[in-house]
């Protein structure tokens, strides 16, 4: 009970200081938001055209039929699609249009259909659907005799395709948890050791165990706060779909063990306050770019992929992405277990190396 | 009279790498006294108190505090609960107010003391809700003293409690320490200020380069090592002194210094110059500065450096 009160005291002390210090508020809240808005904004300005694969089965004497070419032309005139030739790998293609055999003939008869193969939960589905419907309607109008010569059928696939912002938002949360954890811990511990606060604390019954646990709890709370703020803004500004699940909290907890743990370890070797930021940069910089925050690692050379596998942020990012975007509990849980294990090890080491006597 | 020993140290030694910071020192601190460890920077004062406070581990020697031997690591928490410590260069949490800082430390000890009363005792009532980082140096030191009292300790360690303070703030802190002494607390003071040791302490231990040079009450140290009483005469006619057979030294053209042992000698000197209208008289009492100089051949300046 006494230990609980002491840990809570440490936790509350950190939290109050965080609330009152504009610098720490900036790094935990404003910085990730700016990052998200900046990159999210930049990438959404980029080419608005969506990839569209077309499988044209209406071939007459080795040539595509007139009508099928006309509908493709009309689709092209919407200026919304990059029309690509079907590569036969439907599962990998975000959106595919299938023009059936005998399309031209059946259209004359007034009874045919066009198939759109796409994940209806994809964020561009409704836009794609209405554009294609528009094209079909304009062709249907010519055929006054029949009410609806062409119908649009949708075939569901489950798609892994993400827009940049969907991919990026979990990474922003990962970066926020990592940088607050590492920079915040190195910063405060170096400061408190230099200015004598740690020495004063060591003269009291407070143990270093209680001090470190209080710090971890504080990082869990600000992790939850910054995640909530980032997600709220992401949903409001970019209207992305997020799966909310308790696993997100478990991932934040794991991150709040891992990164403050690493920060504590580093702060035992950092002597001066000015060195603190440099040391933090050395550790966070590779993770910033090589943990799959901005782009997927699959496109990277093998040795980078192997290196990425040693970075705790990789697993935190993957875990957050799996649960928030794909709703894939199993994959998320697996990543969470890895981060958690790294966190326990980091905290155990930091308890060992943190000095409470002979400072 | 048999006094209760609160601290008992024998043959204490501490080295950093090869460097001997504290070299086989032995001393006791008695209940209810103000005990001062006096010496220039680097003498080993902080090292010594921090060993007693369980912050540093000694290489050698016996340290007993409240009869508990420090080697018994499990008892260290018991010791920490009974002592109050203001470390050298004390600081509290910048982003918490005075009151919040005190509340923080009160919770660590599970103490029931009234914080408002404590703040009042150190004269910070007006600053109760001010952020620690906005306080002046003197106020910060007083917060430090308040925090060191939060667990109502019997024994208080103050390591250079007035270092870097202006004379006014130093006085205020001294008054506070005197009040604590009146309340019966045992106070272990560390300082490089002669005046501070002389003003506050019952007993002084002078250490230099990790070794004890002398110890005793301020008056005893001055009596034994302070040298002769002397009188300085400015602008006086030396012929009169010669005529009266008075021995003098002179290190400046305009003044002479005459040492004397008793009042009779003093009156004789004064009588010899009564007719000289230009003479200025200054009587120098031996003080701790003199005693320190005679003991060590050095003086300590305000920054704590020995010369
Ligand atoms: N952690 C340390 N590592 C190495 N040397 C130290 C350490 N702490 C103190 N010293 C050295 O030990 C000597 C005594 O220091 P200290 O006890 O702080 O003296 P004081 O408090 O009297 O100024 C000094 O020369 C100082 O440089
Ligand atoms: Mg010192």
């Amino acid at each position: 009970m006494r230990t609980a009160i002491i840990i809570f005291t440490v936790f509350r002390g950190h939290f109050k200081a965080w609330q009152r210090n504009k610098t720490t508020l900036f790094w935990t809240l404003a910085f990730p938001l700016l990052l998200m808005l900046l990159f999210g904004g930049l990438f959404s300005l980029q080419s608005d055209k969506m990839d569209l694969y077309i499988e044209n089965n209406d071939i007459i004497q080795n040539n595509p039929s007139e009508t099928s070419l006309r509908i493709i032309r009309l689709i092209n005139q919407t200026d919304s699609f990059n029309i690509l030739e079907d590569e036969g790998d439907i599962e990998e293609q975000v959106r595919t249009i299938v023009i059936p055999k005998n399309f031209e003939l059946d259209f004359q008869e007034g009874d045919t259909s066009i198939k759109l193969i796409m994940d209806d939960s994809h964020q561009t589905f409704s836009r794609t659907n209405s554009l294609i419907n528009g094209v079909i309607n304009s062709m249907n109008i010519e055929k006054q005799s029949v009410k609806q010569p062409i119908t649009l059928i949708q075939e569901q696939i489950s798609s892994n395709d993400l827009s940049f912002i969907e991919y990026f938002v979990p990474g922003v949360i990962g970066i926020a948890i990592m940088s607050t954890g590492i920079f915040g811990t190195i910063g405060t511990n170096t400061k408190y050791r230099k200015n004598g606060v740690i020495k004063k604390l060591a003269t009291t019954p407070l143990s270093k165990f209680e001090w470190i646990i209080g710090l971890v709890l504080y990082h869990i709370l600000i992790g939850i706060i910054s995640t909530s703020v980032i997600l709220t803004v992401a949903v409001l500004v970019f209207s992305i779909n997020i799966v909310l699940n308790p696993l997100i909290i478990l991932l934040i907890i794991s991150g709040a063990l891992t990164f403050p743990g690493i920060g504590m370890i580093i702060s035992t070797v950092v002597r001066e306050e000015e060195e603190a930021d440099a040391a933090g940069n050395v550790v966070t910089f590779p993770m910033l770019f090589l943990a799959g925050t901005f782009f997927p690692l699959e496109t990277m050379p093998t040795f980078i992929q192997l290196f990425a596998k040693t970075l705790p942020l990789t697993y935190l990012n993957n875990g957050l992405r799996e649960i928030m975007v794909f709703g894939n509990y199993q994959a998320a849980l697996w990543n969470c277990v890895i981060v958690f294990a790294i966190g326990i090890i980091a905290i155990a080491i930091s308890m060992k190396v943190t000095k409470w006597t002979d400072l | 009279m048999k006094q209760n020993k609160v601290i008992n140290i024998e043959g204490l030694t501490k080295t950093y790498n090869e460097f001997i910071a504290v070299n086989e020192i032995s001393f006791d601190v008695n209940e209810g006294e103000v005990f001062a460890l006096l010496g220039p920077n680097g003498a080993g004062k902080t090292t010594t108190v921090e060993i007693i406070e369980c912050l540093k581990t000694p290489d050698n020697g016996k340290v007993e505090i409240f009869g508990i031997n420090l080697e018994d690591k499990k008892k260290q928490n018991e010791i920490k609960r009974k002592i109050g410590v203001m470390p050298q260069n004390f600081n509290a949490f910048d982003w918490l107010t005075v009151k919040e800082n005190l509340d923080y430390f009160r919770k660590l000890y599970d103490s029931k003391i009234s914080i408002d009363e404590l703040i009042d005792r150190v004269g910070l009532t007006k600053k109760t809700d001010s952020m620690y980082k906005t306080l002046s140096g003197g106020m910060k030191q007083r917060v430090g003293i308040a925090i060191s009292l939060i667990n109502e300790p019997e024994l208080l360690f103050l390591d250079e409690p007035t270092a870097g303070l202006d004379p006014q703030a130093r006085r205020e802190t001294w008054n506070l320490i005197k009040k604590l002494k009146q309340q019966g607390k045992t106070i272990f003071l560390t300082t490089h200020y002669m005046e501070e040791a002389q003003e506050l302490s019952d007993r002084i231990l002078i250490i230099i380069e990790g070794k004890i040079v002398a110890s005793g009450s301020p008056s005893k140290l001055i009596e034994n090592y302070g040298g002769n009483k002397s009188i300085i005469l400015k602008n006086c006619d030396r012929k009169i002194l010669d005529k009266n057979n008075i021995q003098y030294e002179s290190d400046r053209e305009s003044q002479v210094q005459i040492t004397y042992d008793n009042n009779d000698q003093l009156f004789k000197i004064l009588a010899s110059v009564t007719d000289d209208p230009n003479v200025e008289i200054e009587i120098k009492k031996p003080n701790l500065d003199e005693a320190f100089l005679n003991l060590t051949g050095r003086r300590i300046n305000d920054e704590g450096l020995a010369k």
Side-chain angles (χ1 to χ4, degrees):
Chain A
M1 189 56 207
R2 193 188 275 162
T3 292
I5 291 174
I6 290 180
I7 290 174
F8 180 74
T9 303
V10 172
F11 158 81
R12 197 181 49 176
H14 283 304
F15 185 66
K16 277 188 183 161
W18 173 77
Q19 277 179 303
R20 292 168 186 177
N21 187 339
K22 289 197 183 70
T23 318
T24 54
L25 279 180
F26 175 82
W27 286 107
T28 43
L29 295 177
F31 172 70
L33 283 180
L34 287 174
L35 196 70
M36 179 175 74
L37 293 173
L38 182 71
F39 280 90
L42 276 182
F43 277 83
S44 64
L45 286 179
Q46 216 193 29
S47 145
D48 252 336
K49 290 193 177 177
M50 302 175 277
D51 289 351
L52 178 68
Y53 294 87
I54 295 187
E55 180 185 329
N56 192 350
N57 295 318
D58 193 23
I59 309 289
I60 302 163
Q61 290 158 358
N62 283 331
N63 282 321
S65 67
E66 253 328 289
T67 320
S68 70
L69 287 179
R70 193 147 69 90
I71 194 167
I72 293 173
R73 209 161 44 240
L74 284 170
I75 291 174
N76 202 12
Q77 277 165 11
T78 62
D79 230 9
S80 303
F81 298 103
N82 283 322
I83 296 189
L84 301 160
E85 200 155 325
D86 174 51
E87 288 164 356
D89 195 354
I90 302 281
E91 289 291 322
E92 286 299 304
Q93 295 167 183
V94 185
R95 50 188 87 66
T96 310
I97 288 282
V98 181
I99 301 174
K101 236 183 197 159
N102 298 331
F103 175 67
E104 191 164 65
L105 283 175
D106 291 346
F107 179 63
Q108 303 303 338
E109 300 282 306
D111 180 22
T112 186
S113 64
I114 292 280
K115 191 153 59 172
L116 170 64
I117 304 175
M118 191 176 174
D119 186 342
D120 65 4
S121 69
H122 194 278
Q123 66 158 180
T124 61
F125 175 76
S126 59
R127 187 152 158 247
T128 308
N129 196 49
S130 68
L131 282 165
I132 302 292
N133 254 324
V135 169
I136 289 173
N137 284 340
S138 69
M139 286 186 64
N140 283 349
I141 287 167
E142 301 169 14
K143 271 244 157 291
Q144 301 278 353
S145 54
V146 187
K147 203 150 186 233
Q148 200 172 10
I150 314 177
T151 47
L152 180 65
I153 348 176
Q154 188 242 340
E155 184 179 313
Q156 179 67 2
I157 51 163
S158 88
S159 166
N160 278 350
D161 176 74
L162 294 184
S163 64
F164 172 77
I165 194 70
E166 284 173 309
Y167 181 85
F168 190 48
V169 166
V172 171
I173 294 172
I175 285 186
I177 292 174
M178 172 188 71
S179 50
T180 333
I182 291 185
F183 285 111
T185 310
I186 297 178
T188 45
N189 276 288
T190 313
K191 174 182 169 185
Y192 288 159
R193 201 183 53 226
K194 292 285 299 176
N195 76 2
V197 168
I198 299 272
K199 184 176 276 183
K200 174 65 203 178
L201 290 171
T203 70
T204 73
L206 173 72
S207 67
K208 62 179 178 181
F209 167 81
E210 291 157 338
W211 172 250
I212 292 174
I213 297 304
L215 190 76
V216 168
L217 289 181
Y218 150 73
H219 277 281
I220 292 174
L221 180 62
I222 56 172
I224 291 173
I225 292 174
S226 63
T227 303
S228 315
V229 171
I230 293 166
L231 286 181
T232 308
V233 174
V235 169
L236 290 179
V237 176
F238 300 105
S239 51
I240 63 172
N241 294 318
I242 293 292
V243 180
L244 290 177
N245 185 280
L247 253 178
I248 296 176
I249 306 272
L250 286 182
L251 281 156
I252 294 172
I253 292 174
S254 306
L257 288 167
T258 301
F259 299 110
I262 293 173
M264 295 286 295
I265 297 169
I266 296 171
S267 60
T268 60
V269 293
V270 175
R271 292 266 117 221
E272 304 298 323
E273 271 177 69
E274 301 80 60
E275 291 171 25
D277 276 348
N281 279 322
V282 168
V283 181
T284 52
F285 199 73
M287 289 207 253
L288 205 54
F289 294 102
L290 299 176
T293 303
F294 293 90
F295 39 79
L297 292 164
E298 287 92 62
T299 56
M300 294 272 107
T302 322
F303 73 93
I304 288 186
Q305 291 194 35
L306 285 176
F307 179 67
K309 289 231 186 324
T310 68
L311 304 174
L313 184 60
T314 305
Y315 301 99
L316 182 61
N317 279 347
N318 287 347
L320 289 169
R321 196 168 289 128
E322 290 293 350
I323 190 68
M324 289 179 179
V325 183
F326 300 122
N328 186 345
Y329 308 108
Q330 225 175 353
L333 185 63
W334 184 230
N335 281 293
C336 183
V337 166
I338 295 174
V339 187
F340 189 78
I342 298 175
I344 294 292
I345 295 168
I347 289 295
I349 296 175
S350 72
M351 297 243 184
K352 195 103 191 102
V353 295
T354 298
K355 276 190 162 184
W356 220 239
T357 50
D358 296 297
L359 290 157
Chain B
M1 187 178 69
K2 174 104 175 68
Q3 275 178 302
N4 255 340
K5 284 182 195 169
V6 182
I7 297 172
N8 171 231
I9 289 176
E10 279 166 35
L12 180 68
T13 300
K14 171 80 183 174
T15 55
Y16 297 112
N17 303 318
E18 300 287 276
F19 177 75
I20 306 171
V22 175
N23 198 345
E24 290 201 44
I25 65 172
S26 305
F27 62 90
D28 295 330
V29 176
N30 299 321
E31 192 175 340
E33 73 178 344
V34 177
F35 179 88
L37 205 52
L38 175 65
N41 286 346
K45 306 181 297 291
T46 298
T47 304
T48 305
V49 282
E50 290 189 352
I51 288 170
I52 308 171
E53 294 158 2
C54 310
L55 290 178
K56 283 188 153 95
T57 38
D59 295 329
N60 241 314
K62 189 186 86 173
V63 180
E64 265 182 9
I65 171 164
F66 305 116
I68 303 168
N69 194 314
L70 275 196
E71 278 186 2
D72 194 350
K73 292 258 191 287
K74 278 176 233 139
K75 291 267 176 77
Q76 290 199 350
N77 243 3
E78 190 183 326
I79 295 172
K80 284 181 181 177
R81 290 193 164 276
K82 284 188 173 174
I83 62 174
V85 177
M86 184 164 85
Q88 186 171 1
N89 305 325
F90 163 84
N91 265 305
F93 295 101
D94 271 347
W95 292 93
L96 299 184
T97 65
V98 171
K99 189 171 187 166
E100 287 168 338
N101 264 300
L102 286 167
D103 186 54
Y104 192 113
F105 284 91
R106 183 173 67 163
K107 292 235 163 59
L108 297 186
Y109 288 98
D110 195 18
S111 156
K112 298 281 176 286
I113 200 168
S114 156
I115 286 179
D116 290 331
E117 253 172 58
L118 195 51
I119 291 176
D120 189 47
R121 258 163 85 189
V122 299
L124 285 173
T125 307
K126 280 192 193 136
K127 294 287 173 181
T128 302
D129 294 316
S130 300
M131 217 62 87
Y132 178 78
K133 68 192 193 87
T134 64
L135 302 181
S136 70
M139 291 171 180
K140 286 181 175 177
Q141 295 290 66
R142 275 185 277 158
V143 172
I145 293 177
I147 291 177
S148 69
L149 294 170
I150 204 100
N151 54 331
E152 301 173 88
E154 298 152 40
L155 172 58
L156 202 57
F157 293 90
L158 304 172
D159 195 352
E160 308 263 9
T162 64
L165 299 190
D166 59 64
Q168 156 102 22
R170 178 166 301 154
R171 280 264 152 225
E172 285 168 8
T173 306
W174 286 355
N175 289 338
L176 186 57
I177 295 171
K178 284 179 189 165
K179 257 195 270 168
L180 293 171
K181 178 188 159 58
Q182 279 162 20
Q183 290 158 9
K185 300 230 184 276
T186 311
I187 298 172
F188 193 130
L189 182 71
T190 314
T191 186
H192 65 258
Y193 296 116
M194 299 293 153
E195 204 189 344
E196 183 162 286
Q198 188 170 351
E199 173 99 16
L200 296 175
S201 51
D202 300 311
R203 252 172 0 112
I204 297 174
L205 189 78
I206 297 178
I207 64 168
I208 287 196
E209 291 170 2
K211 286 203 175 112
I212 295 177
V213 177
S215 70
S217 67
S219 53
K220 261 273 168 314
L221 286 173
I222 293 166
E223 196 181 312
N224 292 345
Y225 308 103
N228 293 315
K229 302 168 195 169
S230 65
I231 177 169
I232 290 173
L233 302 177
K234 282 184 190 160
N235 308 324
C236 105
D237 187 354
R238 300 184 188 195
K239 281 181 213 140
I240 301 174
L241 298 174
D242 291 336
K243 209 168 67 186
N244 286 293
N245 235 342
I246 296 167
Q247 303 286 316
Y248 60 83
E249 290 166 34
S250 174
D251 51 6
R252 250 177 277 171
E253 189 64 37
S254 61
Q255 68 177 44
V256 297
Q257 181 161 354
I258 306 159
T259 57
Y260 65 93
D261 293 326
N262 53 45
N263 282 355
D264 281 351
Q265 290 174 356
L266 173 63
F267 294 146
K268 187 184 159 205
I269 298 161
L270 291 175
S272 69
V273 293
T274 37
D275 294 333
D276 189 341
N278 296 327
V279 78
E280 284 173 41
I281 300 166
E282 187 187 325
I283 293 181
K284 266 181 77 180
K285 272 197 333 198
N287 55 20
L288 207 51
D289 277 296
E290 287 310 308
F292 190 86
L293 181 66
N294 290 329
L295 277 164
T296 66
R298 313 179 216 191
R299 285 187 192 279
I300 304 181
N301 69 9
D302 250 13
E303 281 76 49
L305 302 171
K307 280 190 183 152

